[in-house]
């Protein structure tokens, strides 16, 4: 079983729609979850952090964490063409790998006008 | 806060040559990470340091790869006897203590011919 899996892409949504990105992880000891955005040819940049179950909102972005079901999601409201990028989920593993941040393979999002 | 700095930005080398990359983290960050990323994949963990101590190294990492962080400041990643499969973007990131998000540099793109 992979440590982390993101919903397969690419995901294409029209401008103004809601984009929904999902990530599941296998380690129940995982803590501190992050969503990064990566534009083509650039390095990842942090857009959201979430540490406890529930929702966290920041502008047009909402992160949702459900530790019992081992998934974390990212909703982007009022999607804009500038949101077109690869979205990476990441988390800190528990146990002996404390301190190691593991990334998913990424989901490519395209927002078309 | 000048951000994470990586040098060089690009490196082209011939198979069998050794290469060394440098990373200067954000000054107040005590953790430093190295990742490798290939097209269409998420960043793959290589190793990380807390101050000058190398705390974890990927089991997938060949012994041709070595990293150092003398005095807990900048870090170097050396690849010996490069192979074409080493062609990738090498990302450095730093973070403060705890389960904090990582801040990435612009990366070093390695091409092995």
């Amino acid at each position: 079983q992979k440590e982390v899996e993101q919903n397969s892409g690419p995901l294409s949504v029209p401008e103004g729609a809601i984009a929904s990105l999902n990530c599941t992880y296998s380690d129940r000891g995982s803590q501190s979850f992050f969503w990064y955005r990566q534009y083509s040819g650039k390095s990842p940049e942090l857009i959201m952090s979430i540490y406890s179950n529930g929702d966290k909102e920041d502008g047009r972005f909402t992160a949702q964490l459900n530790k019992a079901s081992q998934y974390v999601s990212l909703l982007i409201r009022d999607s804009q063409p500038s949101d077109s990028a690869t979205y990476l989920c990441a988390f800190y593993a528990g146990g002996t790998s404390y301190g190691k941040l593991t990334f998913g393979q990424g989901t490519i999002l395209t927002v078309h006008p | 806060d000048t951000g994470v700095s990586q040098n060089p930005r690009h490196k082209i080398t011939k198979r069998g040559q050794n290469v060394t990359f440098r990373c200067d983290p954000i000054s107040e960050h005590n953790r430093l990470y190295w990742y490798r990323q290939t097209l269409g994949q998420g960043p793959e963990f290589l190793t990380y340091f807390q101050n000058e101590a190398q705390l974890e190294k990927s089991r997938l990492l060949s012994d041709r790869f070595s990293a150092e962080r003398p005095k807990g400041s900048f870090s170097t990643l050396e690849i010996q006897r490069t192979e074409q499969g080493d062609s990738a973007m090498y990302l450095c990131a730093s973070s403060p203590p705890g389960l904090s998000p990582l801040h990435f540099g612009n990366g070093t793109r390695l091409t092995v011919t």
Side-chain angles (χ1 to χ4, degrees):
Chain A
Q1 184 181 10
K2 290 185 178 180
E3 286 184 284
V4 56
E5 292 202 50
Q6 295 190 233
N7 51 327
S8 60
L11 178 64
S12 181
V13 300
E15 184 175 357
I18 295 174
S20 176
L21 303 157
N22 299 311
C23 176
T24 59
Y25 58 94
S26 60
D27 184 355
R28 287 193 172 275
S30 299
Q31 310 174 58
S32 298
F33 300 83
F34 308 97
W35 282 99
Y36 284 80
R37 177 176 61 199
Q38 187 173 29
Y39 292 114
S40 181
K42 303 294 186 182
S43 58
E45 58 177 327
L46 178 72
I47 53 173
M48 288 288 282
S49 304
I50 186 164
Y51 301 96
S52 56
N53 280 330
D55 296 358
K56 180 182 178 183
E57 187 174 319
D58 184 1
R60 295 186 297 111
F61 299 97
T62 298
Q64 300 173 318
L65 174 60
N66 185 321
K67 290 188 177 181
S69 300
Q70 296 175 245
Y71 83 79
V72 58
S73 63
L74 179 71
L75 298 178
I76 306 175
R77 291 181 301 281
D78 188 24
S79 296
Q80 301 297 309
S82 60
D83 295 327
S84 297
T86 297
Y87 288 80
L88 300 159
C89 69
F91 63 93
Y92 280 106
T96 57
S97 288
Y98 180 92
K100 170 186 169 184
L101 191 67
T102 298
F103 285 83
Q105 79 275 21
T107 300
I108 298 173
L109 172 66
T110 301
V111 181
H112 53 87
Chain B
D1 179 358
T2 57
V4 178
S5 176
Q6 291 188 246
N7 287 289
R9 292 294 305 277
H10 303 275
K11 179 70 177 179
I12 300 173
T13 191
K14 293 185 177 180
R15 188 177 56 184
Q17 298 295 304
N18 298 344
V19 294
T20 300
F21 309 142
R22 176 178 171 127
C23 173
D24 288 89
I26 293 171
S27 57
E28 60 268 29
H29 288 180
N30 70 337
R31 286 189 176 176
L32 187 148
Y33 294 75
W34 286 99
Y35 287 84
R36 176 172 61 190
Q37 188 175 28
T38 53
L39 195 64
Q41 299 298 314
E44 175 192 6
F45 173 81
L46 296 179
T47 188
Y48 87 98
F49 294 83
Q50 181 161 296
N51 300 313
E52 66 275 10
Q54 187 174 20
L55 295 189
E56 186 164 347
K57 183 176 177 180
S58 171
R59 288 188 294 272
L60 301 176
L61 202 59
S62 160
D63 58 9
R64 296 184 296 106
F65 287 71
S66 62
E68 294 182 340
R69 192 183 182 196
K71 302 178 182 179
S73 55
F74 70 92
S75 176
T76 57
L77 177 68
E78 180 183 19
I79 309 173
Q80 297 182 328
R81 306 181 302 282
T82 54
E83 302 172 356
Q84 287 189 321
D86 297 332
S87 296
M89 175 74 84
Y90 289 83
L91 295 165
C92 176
S94 68
S95 76
L99 302 178
S100 304
L102 305 188
H103 300 257
F104 282 88
N106 289 325
T108 294
R109 181 166 296 283
L110 173 66
T111 302
V112 182
T113 62

